[in-house]
Amino acid sequence: KSTVGRIVAAQMGWTFEDSDLLHSTADVAKMMSGVPLTDADRWPWLRTVAAWIDQQIAAGKGGVVACSALKRSYRDFLQEGRPDLRIVLLEVDQATLSARLTGRHDHFFPIKLLKSQLAALEMPTPDEHVLVVPAAGTPAAMASKIIDGLGLVPHSPGSPGDP
């Protein structure tokens, strides 16, 4: 989600944030030790993610935040009072996720936590208006599907207002 999110942000001329970097040190230590986060752990992190979103809105800037908003209650919280916020879910099968996590050595999230994340995942229902994009093809192709699916127009370098 971070790779695709960075591409979308770059193509739109927006700021990117990886919400993994917004976790508390206690939550990171917990995950590194293989202990899944609970809802009680996640709510302060989600408030931090929401604060980042609010900063972008207040500054009049667009942004992309890569975030595992696994449950409907999390997505509802992030969207509350933010009518322009759009949520995209990259739909990935467990085998692909396992392969990606196995090959990732620079991150605190161990593969043994994947099962708990998938168990917590509540797939969006149609009334949530979440764009679900199959995580197939290249990251650039997925980013294009997201931009098209949200009806966005990519940023053109050199357009008025560019520095």
Side-chain angles (χ1 to χ4, degrees):
K1 64 186 177 283
S2 296
T3 300
V4 174
R6 279 186 184 92
I7 294 169
V8 170
Q11 290 185 10
M12 296 305 302
W14 293 346
T15 304
F16 173 80
E17 180 64 65
D18 186 336
S19 71
D20 285 347
L21 303 176
L22 302 177
H23 279 290
S24 70
T25 54
D27 285 351
V28 170
K30 190 173 185 178
M31 287 184 277
M32 284 179 75
S33 68
V35 178
L37 297 181
T38 64
D39 277 351
D41 297 321
R42 288 187 182 116
W43 280 109
W45 165 73
L46 286 163
R47 285 191 287 277
T48 302
V49 172
W52 183 88
I53 294 167
D54 290 341
Q55 288 172 349
Q56 299 305 303
I57 293 168
K61 297 179 180 178
V64 174
V65 60
C67 176
S68 296
L70 300 170
K71 297 182 178 184
R72 181 180 184 136
S73 60
Y74 302 168
R75 296 185 294 269
D76 287 348
F77 169 73
L78 291 173
Q79 288 181 309
E80 187 175 327
R82 300 172 187 93
D84 293 331
L85 180 74
R86 299 295 307 269
I87 294 181
V88 176
L89 177 101
L90 292 176
E91 190 173 36
V92 187
D93 63 81
Q94 185 171 349
T96 302
L97 286 171
S98 294
R100 288 180 183 168
L101 286 173
T102 299
R104 186 169 73 172
H105 302 289
D106 60 344
H107 198 275
F108 58 81
F109 188 87
I111 192 168
K112 70 182 185 178
L113 289 182
L114 178 59
K115 192 178 277 187
S116 68
Q117 282 238 303
L118 293 174
L121 176 62
E122 296 172 1
M123 287 300 290
T125 56
D127 65 309
E128 287 185 77
H129 307 288
V130 171
L131 176 63
V132 177
V133 175
T138 66
M142 287 183 272
S144 291
K145 286 181 184 175
I146 291 168
I147 290 169
D148 291 345
L150 295 177
L152 302 172
V153 177
H155 175 76
S156 299
S159 63
D162 276 357

